[in-house]
Amino acid sequence: MKRNRYLLYAISCLQGMIFYGPIATLYRQAAGVSVFQITLIESISLALCIALEIPWGLAAERIGYKTTMVLCSALYLVSKVVFWRAAGFGGFLAERVLLAVVMAGLSGVDVSILCLSCRPEDCHRAMSVYDLLNTAGLLAASLVYARFVGQDYRMAALLTVCSYAAALLLTLPLREVRAPGRRKPAARDFAAALRAAAGDRGLPAFLLATALLGETHQTITVFLSQLQYVRAGLQSAAIGYLYTGVTLAGLLGGFSARAARRLGERRLAALLFGAAAAACLTLAGTASAVWSAVAVLVLRAAFSLYQPLQAAVQNRRVTGPNRATALSVNSAFCSSVGVGANLAFGALAQRRLQSAMLLGAALCLAGLWLLRASGVLRPARDPRR
């Protein structure tokens, strides 16, 4: 199924081309949305994701992974059009509602197509390439923004619409894949997947740790970092170039599988969570543009290396035939954590940005403890064997 893999790699790259990424927070503020409103919208979106996980997970198994991918990619394009024209709280809330529908629909579907289109032992590597190309698309978009777009925020949003339209077209030639023994599920299958996840010793703690790191990374690198740069006295053009540099750190995700083989999953994950906590502490304690950029870069690198690892771990813990349903359960759990985390970040940042950064450090340290307690990660192999 090389065709599927290559198409998904291209789709990942195109959907990574978010040209307004360097100024996502500033874009919304210029359109009349406050920092707390931004995080409130994110929380509403995550809550909706949770509500839609069950129906979308069941639908994906019934109508097929390819059909789900096409439908969600079409809605993805519509959400970017709404974002391009949005003004005020209502417009950006509508965009995030659409995005919630998309995220719930794609949850577990794209990675299921990818993993079922390659040998099981190649899944981690495929996920690494998939994430790397998504980051490469974001890098290309940030370079275009810094060099050509500048203060024209709406033009950045329009270019994003174009890249997502191209991604939609590439979903059409995908071939359907089917896990051995997969059948059309009923609601009881989702309940069974929920019981299996809860009964999988260590998996809930692992998912909670993953959610804490993910929400810290998402909130700080996507939203709060721009406020940190403004606090350091930087202008939009400089922020665009810094965003490009930070995006480069995301390419490290391509080395995740190699690092896990060399260090072992346990040691690698511990190093990444520790580095993320240190980065958040640095952001809380500095107003320097240089140190702020370094800290955001470290946080981005840590998450990028962890993302393929956690995806591979989740996939190998799935034992039933309805893979997308099982992964949807995991995603719903992580999203429920994000609802509260987003509101906490927004409330603290509205009062004092440094307090939000300290919260990020605390969440990363809590995630490190949960990882050690979960016991689902593999140690390094004994070189004497």
Side-chain angles (χ1 to χ4, degrees):
M1 284 278 192
K2 289 184 178 180
R3 176 180 180 177
N4 274 3
R5 294 205 302 273
Y6 294 145
L7 284 170
L8 284 169
Y9 290 159
I11 291 167
S12 179
C13 183
L14 286 167
Q15 291 182 342
M17 290 184 178
I18 303 175
F19 292 88
Y20 58 80
I23 40 83
T25 300
L26 304 180
Y27 185 108
R28 291 171 170 88
Q29 286 183 319
V33 182
S34 70
V35 175
F36 180 73
Q37 286 177 325
I38 291 172
T39 55
L40 175 60
I41 289 171
E42 288 294 302
S43 293
I44 293 172
S45 179
L46 284 173
L48 185 57
C49 272
I50 298 169
L52 293 174
E53 282 287 353
I54 293 178
W56 257 128
L58 298 175
E61 303 292 359
R62 287 179 175 275
I63 67 178
Y65 296 165
K66 174 191 171 177
T67 302
T68 304
M69 188 83 179
V70 173
L71 289 174
C72 289
S73 296
L75 288 175
Y76 224 158
L77 172 60
V78 174
S79 76
K80 296 307 174 186
V81 173
V82 172
F83 186 90
W84 169 42
R85 305 306 301 170
F89 181 85
F92 288 101
L93 177 60
E95 180 264 337
R96 233 51 185 177
V97 166
L98 281 170
L99 189 62
V101 176
V102 172
M103 292 295 98
L106 287 179
S107 175
V109 170
D110 54 345
V111 297
S112 291
I113 295 175
L114 185 59
C115 287
L116 291 173
S117 297
C118 60
R119 296 176 302 178
E121 61 269 24
D122 293 332
C123 181
H124 192 166
R125 181 178 179 277
M127 284 302 308
S128 295
V129 175
Y130 187 68
D131 285 347
L132 184 148
L133 288 173
N134 186 264
T135 303
L138 184 59
L139 173 62
S142 64
L143 285 171
V144 170
Y145 171 82
R147 181 66 180 86
F148 300 107
V149 179
Q151 298 289 334
D152 193 346
Y153 294 172
R154 294 293 180 179
M155 176 58 70
L158 177 58
L159 290 173
T160 304
V161 170
C162 296
S163 66
Y164 274 70
L168 171 60
L169 292 177
L170 289 182
T171 63
L172 302 179
L174 284 171
R175 292 176 179 172
E176 182 61 273
V177 292
R178 182 171 291 275
R182 194 181 107 204
R183 59 180 175 77
K184 293 182 178 181
R188 63 179 178 274
D189 296 306
F190 198 96
L194 182 60
R195 289 194 299 271
D200 185 346
R201 183 178 178 182
L203 183 61
F206 172 77
L207 292 175
L208 179 55
T210 297
L212 294 178
L213 177 62
E215 289 307 316
T216 298
H217 163 267
Q218 171 74 7
T219 305
I220 292 179
T221 62
V222 174
F223 299 112
L224 301 186
S225 64
Q226 294 160 38
L227 302 180
Q228 178 79 6
Y229 294 148
V230 171
R231 177 182 168 221
L234 298 178
Q235 302 299 316
S236 292
I239 291 174
Y241 283 112
L242 279 177
Y243 189 85
T244 301
V246 171
T247 303
L248 278 171
L251 297 175
L252 292 173
F255 300 97
S256 176
R258 184 182 302 177
R261 286 194 301 269
R262 181 179 294 271
L263 299 174
E265 292 176 350
R266 293 179 188 172
R267 185 178 299 173
L268 175 61
L271 288 172
L272 297 179
F273 273 74
C280 293
L281 288 173
T282 301
L283 289 168
T286 186
S288 162
V290 173
W291 282 109
S292 295
V294 169
V296 175
L297 185 148
V298 169
L299 181 56
R300 172 67 169 162
F303 179 78
S304 297
L305 283 164
Y306 182 73
Q307 184 68 0
L309 170 60
Q310 66 86 20
V313 171
Q314 287 194 51
N315 269 278
R316 74 169 179 246
R317 305 293 287 197
V318 176
T319 56
N322 294 323
R323 181 173 296 269
T325 302
L327 293 176
S328 289
V329 168
N330 296 352
S331 180
F333 179 85
C334 293
S335 295
S336 66
V337 176
V339 173
N342 269 298
L343 290 174
F345 272 116
L348 290 174
Q350 191 77 14
R351 295 181 178 182
R352 191 168 180 264
L353 186 59
Q354 294 93 319
S355 298
M357 302 304 185
L358 288 174
L359 174 62
L363 294 182
C364 291
L365 290 175
L368 176 57
W369 181 84
L370 287 164
L371 271 185
R372 294 176 64 88
S374 71
V376 302
L377 299 178
R378 295 169 176 170
R381 292 182 178 178
D382 189 340
R384 295 172 294 181
R385 292 183 179 178

